[in-house]
Amino acid sequence: MESQKAMTFGGVFLMLLLTCATTTSQPTTAIDCATVTTLLSSCTTFITYGTPDPIPGSPCCDAMFSLNLAADSTDSRRFICRCLMGLITTYNPNATAIATLPGFCGVTLGFTVDPNTDCN
């Protein structure tokens, strides 16, 4: 019961965070890299260990869904892409895990998450 409350709170917190990011950000983009990083932090276990696979409805996939919602314009997709490419560069040994997240979660971000992706 407590874990269900925690997950519900986490989901509400993520949506609140996303809402704040989309209503108070710079005019050219609705999300910042700190928000992208925070959202992906719910995928840390998978990114670090490659297991367990994220499934739709999991906190990790909920985060990917939130990124998908934020990628609502060309500028937002470019910005999210650049943030993800920065994370892939930083966590290079785990680049494959980061790249597979959208597919596991059934989300299409509008670009391929791959170390060689040109976000322009």
Side-chain angles (χ1 to χ4, degrees):
M1 183 68 131
E2 286 298 317
S3 67
Q4 189 176 18
K5 286 182 183 176
M7 286 191 335
T8 301
F9 174 77
V12 170
F13 177 75
L14 284 176
M15 291 309 293
L16 180 61
L17 181 65
L18 186 59
T19 300
C20 290
T22 59
T23 59
T24 62
S25 64
Q26 310 111 352
T28 58
T29 186
I31 193 166
D32 60 22
C33 283
T35 303
V36 172
T37 302
T38 299
L39 287 169
L40 282 183
S41 70
S42 62
C43 304
T44 300
T45 301
F46 176 72
I47 292 170
T48 303
Y49 302 108
T51 188
D53 292 348
I55 57 171
S58 68
C60 178
C61 286
D62 289 346
M64 293 305 298
F65 182 74
S66 293
L67 279 179
N68 187 45
L69 289 176
D72 61 353
S73 70
T74 300
D75 286 340
S76 292
R77 282 189 293 279
R78 276 191 193 122
F79 194 82
I80 291 169
C81 178
R82 289 180 186 128
C83 293
L84 289 174
M85 294 311 117
L87 289 171
I88 284 174
T89 300
T90 301
Y91 301 102
N92 193 23
N94 306 62
T96 301
I98 295 170
T100 61
L101 286 171
F104 272 119
C105 296
V107 172
T108 303
L109 296 174
F111 56 90
T112 302
V113 181
D114 179 88
N116 300 314
T117 296
D118 178 1
C119 295
N120 293 321

